[in-house]
Each structure stands twice: as structure tokens, then as C-alpha cells.
Amino acid sequence: MSLLALSLFLGIIALTLVITYLSSKRTKNARDFYTAGGGLTAWQNGLAVAGDFMSAASFLGITGAIALVGFDGFYMSIGNLVAFLFLLYLVAEPLRNLGKYTMADMITARFNSKKVRGVAAVNTLVISIFYMIAQLVGAGGLIKLLLGIDYATSVLLVGILMTIYVIFGGMTATSWVQITKAILLLIGSFVITFIVFAKFDFSVMNMFQHVKSSTPLGEAFLNPGNKYKDGLDMISFNMALVLGAAGLPHLLVRFFTVKDAATARKSVVYSTWFIGAFFIMTIFLGFGAAAFVGFENIVAANPAGNMAAPLLAQTMGGDFLFAFVSAVAFATILAVVSGLVLTSASAFAHDIYGEIIKGGKVTEKQQVFVARMASIGVAVVSILLALSAQKLNVAFLSVLALGIAASANLPVILCTIYWKRFNSTGAITGMLIGLISSVVLVLLSPNVWSPTPGAAIFTGDPIFPMLNPTIYTVPLGFLGAYFGTVLSREKSNAESFAEVIYKSNTGYGISAAKDH
């Protein structure tokens, strides 16, 4: 078993390193490093965007959540899919037409302000690191289960690999690693889904009847309320899922990797189909794990349920399928964290160093060098934080990052595109209030504090009672943007808004993409 697992893991690593080597030959300037030269096609970017969402949080976390708490775990699948409709209709096209390399580029297309750019860059760094912790926690648990390597060593291994991809291959390597792992993950999920469905005689009703009696929850397994006793908490959770995608920096920068807004829209349509198919399969994976792996075995492997999918693969298909699914999950983690590292490094190198510190007077060679050094720094910080979050469910960790993105970024993105009176003061206050309120309430919530020793990071009673604060923090982000605008003495620039409206709808001024 160890030899088989090790062989598949090494095969995945070798494949991704070959992709990185080939990509490094095509990464010659800042545009190549940040956006793959803008040369991805709609289906390629669609698979890459889908790959960002078909992360460790989705494959490991959602499967585990459905297996342990039933219907409440399925909320994650629904919310992730609906999020792409919001992204498609309101954000994708204007973002692609106004931006260049980072999310801050889009906002400063209207407000030529270093302060706005700096706050947007800090938002990107915080959100990306939160999201990265979820992936690294999943990686640590997965490698520990499969190869017997301890959690800390596993996290360090992933950190080193993701840094190599970014430093040498940039966005081209990151994109193609995403595309490759998305295809492998869809294939692996389909195989397990087919086997599980066959066990239920290809009958959905048989499946529902079976899980009613095969879990400790009994008939309550199919009902809401097993995890979210408070309806307000459940609504808040779904708000984070639906609105958060439109504010996730590592997802938004993917629209700069295509040549124009039409291709960006098509890539969202492609990704919606890929993601829809995948999240439908998570139902079968979760129910299959609950029925055939068993509650006790899932919890014994990982208390948060993160190992339910690999254990189901072992039960359904033996050691080979177990090793294959685990290796694909490992590739999933590598691909997503690489994108997160690249996004964070881009925010530091392009926004903070290139535009704020150097005032735009920096060569592409200098900018790429700083981005590579920033990648190392971001990786180190993320690894250190992941080491203290081992017991948390990876899906829930990612939802917290989505909540911060929905609160800190989305209000300002929408106001920048659609509100004429909006000004730079409103942009800064909206981003800061959304960011600070999200982080503070998460740190005071039951996710971090629990009266039961070992159940959370710290022992003690939580000050904020809800698991997810998004229902409060998103309105706070919008209120911050509104009051920051109307109470400031700064006048809005009608000409810059007219220019933003024109460019966001026409794409005027966008340079042609580089052929690949």
C-alpha cells in the first residue's frame, strides 16, 4: 500500500514539475508571470476557475460535512454553485475590462489613489492566507493518513512545492496544474459516484432510505438543523458562499488570463457546468461515506471528517482507488495553494512594491523578482498558521475566507462599477470596515473559542455566538462604503465614473492578449 501510494504521489509531483518546467520557458515578463500572457481560451480558463473551487475544501471538506451532518453539509454545494451566477452577471465582465494584473488595478482604474490600492492589496493578502490555511490543513491530514508522515512535515512539503510552482512557472504553470488536476478530480469523483450509485441499485430513493438507518442521526440525517441550529447562522453561512466568490482575489485574477470580456463570460459558463457536475457528485460521495465507511471510522481518521472521501474510495475500490483519489486530492491542494500564493505575491509585488513604494517606476524584471521573494514569505506565514488549525474542518475554514471576501471586497467592487457618487474615501472605509469586522468577529466566534478543551484553538466561552458573521459584516461593508462617501468632503469624479462605465461595458483600452 505504501509503495502504491508513494508511486502515485510521486507521479503527480513529477507531472506538475514537468508542467512548471515547460511553463518557465514561456514566462518571460510580468504579464506572463501574473496573467499567463492573457492567452488562455474559454474552456481552459473555465477548467482553471472550476479547479479553484474544486479545492480541498470542496472535495475533502464538503464530502466529510455531508457524511457527518447530512443536509447541513449540502448547503456548501448549493451555495458554491449559485455563487457563479452572481459572479457571471455582475462582476466578471467589468472586472476583466477594467483590471490588469490584480483586483486593486480594477478599483484604482476609477480612483488613482495609493491608499485605495494599499488597502485592496492588504485585503488580498489576508483573504488569500485564510483560504490557504484551509488547503494546507487538508494536505496535512491527507498525507498523514496515506503515507504516515506527520502533519507538520506534510504541510511543509506542500508549502515547498507550491512555492516552486509560483517562483518558476508563474500563472502559466499554476493554470495548467489547475486544469490537469480538475480533469483528474472530475474523473476520480465520477468513478466513485458510479460505484456508490450502483450499490444503491441506481435508485436515489434507495439511497435516501439507506442513509436514514446507517448513521447515528437516523432520519434527522436528511433534515436541516444538525449543525446549524440557528436559522440566522445558516443564512449567514449561505451568504458567505454565494457572495464570497465575487470577492475572492485568487478567483478574480483568473479573468485577466483571457483575451477579452467575452472570453471571460464564456469561461464562467464553462466553469459553472464543471462545478455543477462536481457538486452533484459530492452528494453521492457524502452519502456513500456515511453508508459504507461509517460515522465512527470517519471521525477516527479525522474528527472534522476531512478524510471521508479517501476512505470511501478505499472501501469502494480498494487500495488502488484509495491511493489514486488521495493523490488527486493532493494535486488539488497543490494547484489551489499555488494560485493563492501567486495572488498574494502579485498584490505585494505589483500593488505595494511596484505602484505604492516605487510609484510605478519599476522594471518588469524587478517586479517579478519581488513577486518571487514575496511568494516565499507568504508560504512561510501560511504554513505557520496552518500548523495551529489542524482540528478545524477545511470546508468551514474556506467559508470563513469567503465571508471576509464578501464583506471586504464585494461592496467596494460593486460600488466602484455601479455607484456614480462613490469616492476613494468610501472605498477605503468600506474595505477596512468589512475586513476588520470579519476578522474580529471570526476571532471571537465559536470557531476559535470553545468551553470544551481541544474542540477549538482556544479554550473559553466565545464572545460572538454565531459560527459565521457574514450576515452582519456584509452590510457593515456596504455601510462603510456609503457613509465614507457621503460624510467625506471629497467630491466624486463624474468623468472617472463615466470612463469606468464606458470601459467596463466596451473593453476599450485593453491590450491584445499574447498568443500561446
Side-chain angles (χ1 to χ4, degrees):
M1 179 57 209
S2 295
L3 182 61
L4 175 62
L6 185 61
S7 299
L8 286 171
F9 266 72
L10 291 176
I12 290 288
I13 293 172
L15 177 62
T16 55
L17 289 176
V18 168
I19 292 171
T20 304
Y21 172 75
L22 296 174
S23 300
S24 67
K25 294 179 174 294
R26 298 161 60 177
T27 304
K28 300 176 181 177
N29 53 44
R31 181 173 171 79
D32 292 337
F33 186 85
Y34 291 135
T35 66
L40 293 183
T41 64
W43 73 265
Q44 289 168 350
N45 195 50
L47 267 175
V49 170
D52 273 318
F53 251 68
M54 294 187 300
S55 61
S58 301
F59 184 57
L60 301 178
I62 294 179
T63 301
I66 293 175
L68 296 183
V69 298
F71 187 90
D72 282 9
F74 181 56
Y75 281 132
M76 300 181 196
S77 296
I78 301 171
N80 280 318
L81 186 57
V82 174
F84 273 80
L85 298 176
F86 193 85
L87 188 66
L88 173 64
Y89 288 114
L90 292 179
V91 176
E93 182 175 356
L95 182 84
R96 174 62 190 87
N97 286 339
L98 295 174
K100 184 180 180 184
Y101 295 148
T102 65
M103 189 196 75
D105 282 337
M106 187 271 273
I107 298 173
T108 53
R110 180 171 176 182
F111 310 114
N112 189 17
S113 165
K114 288 186 177 181
K115 291 180 181 178
V116 172
R117 185 180 288 275
V119 175
V122 169
N123 276 358
T124 296
L125 288 168
V126 172
I127 294 165
S128 297
I129 288 173
F130 259 86
Y131 205 84
M132 206 180 313
I133 293 170
Q135 311 305 316
L136 292 174
V137 169
L142 180 68
I143 300 173
K144 181 180 178 181
L145 175 68
L146 189 63
L147 298 179
I149 301 173
D150 68 85
Y151 177 81
T153 305
S154 303
V155 170
L156 186 62
L157 172 64
V158 176
I160 292 171
L161 286 170
M162 71 186 185
T163 309
I164 290 173
Y165 299 153
V166 174
I167 288 177
F168 295 104
M171 181 58 86
T172 304
T174 300
S175 297
W176 280 102
V177 169
Q178 280 284 28
I179 291 167
T180 303
K181 75 93 183 184
I183 294 171
L184 290 173
L185 186 57
L186 285 169
I187 292 171
S189 299
F190 177 79
V191 170
I192 303 174
T193 297
F194 182 83
I195 297 173
V196 167
F197 204 26
K199 291 282 187 179
F200 294 117
D201 298 323
F202 298 101
S203 170
V204 174
M205 296 309 298
N206 284 350
M207 180 172 69
F208 285 163
Q209 289 297 325
H210 189 87
V211 294
K212 282 183 180 180
S213 58
S214 60
T215 75
L217 293 172
E219 292 193 5
F221 185 82
L222 297 177
N223 299 327
N226 294 318
K227 181 176 178 64
Y228 298 100
K229 309 294 184 185
D230 184 356
L232 200 63
D233 214 343
M234 183 270 292
I235 294 170
S236 184
F237 176 80
N238 279 282
M239 280 183 65
L241 289 170
V242 173
L243 302 180
L248 278 180
H250 75 284
L251 195 62
L252 297 178
V253 298
R254 287 236 155 260
F255 297 115
F256 303 141
T257 65
V258 295
K259 62 181 180 178
D260 53 33
T263 310
R265 286 196 306 274
K266 289 178 183 176
S267 66
V268 176
V269 174
Y270 276 114
S271 64
T272 303
W273 281 103
F274 293 133
I275 291 167
F278 173 75
F279 282 127
I280 288 172
M281 289 189 285
T282 60
I283 303 171
F284 295 91
L285 299 179
F287 280 17
F292 303 118
V293 178
F295 182 90
E296 294 79 9
N297 293 330
I298 294 171
V299 173
N302 182 274
N306 296 329
M307 295 301 106
L311 290 173
L312 175 63
Q314 185 177 38
T315 304
M316 295 290 100
D319 288 346
F320 176 80
L321 190 57
F322 175 49
F324 174 77
V325 167
S326 298
V328 171
F330 180 64
T332 295
I333 292 164
L334 290 178
V336 173
V337 293
S338 298
L340 291 163
V341 170
L342 179 60
T343 302
S344 303
S346 301
F348 183 86
H350 176 66
D351 295 321
I352 296 175
Y353 176 78
E355 297 295 331
I356 297 175
I357 297 176
K358 290 293 186 178
K361 298 177 181 178
V362 59
T363 66
E364 289 196 347
K365 186 176 180 181
Q366 289 173 326
Q367 198 172 149
V368 172
F369 174 78
V370 172
R372 285 170 171 158
M373 294 302 101
S375 301
I376 297 174
V378 169
V380 170
V381 171
S382 301
I383 289 169
L384 293 175
L385 291 174
L387 293 176
S388 64
Q390 180 179 359
K391 296 180 180 179
L392 299 180
N393 181 280
V394 293
F396 197 80
L397 282 170
S398 69
V399 172
L400 294 181
L402 285 164
I404 298 172
S407 308
N409 284 346
L410 181 62
V412 173
I413 289 172
L414 294 180
C415 289
T416 298
I417 300 170
Y418 300 109
W419 188 20
K420 183 177 182 179
R421 190 178 174 184
F422 195 46
N423 59 31
S424 61
T425 304
I428 292 171
T429 55
M431 285 188 286
L432 286 178
I433 289 176
L435 175 67
I436 294 170
S437 63
S438 297
V439 174
V440 169
L441 290 180
V442 166
L443 292 177
L444 299 177
S445 74
N447 305 294
V448 179
W449 295 90
S450 174
T452 305
I457 297 175
F458 300 111
T459 302
D461 293 324
I463 298 174
F464 182 73
M466 292 179 62
L467 290 169
N468 194 298
T470 308
I471 196 169
Y472 295 110
T473 56
V474 168
L476 284 174
F478 277 105
L479 287 172
Y482 175 77
F483 285 112
T485 298
V486 300
L487 296 179
S488 69
R489 296 180 179 179
E490 178 190 355
K491 293 183 178 180
S492 59
N493 190 330
E495 290 184 3
S496 68
F497 178 69
E499 184 179 352
V500 162
I501 288 292
Y502 180 66
K503 286 185 175 181
S504 67
N505 284 286
T506 64
Y508 176 80
I510 296 176
S511 59
K514 177 182 175 182
D515 290 331
H516 279 274

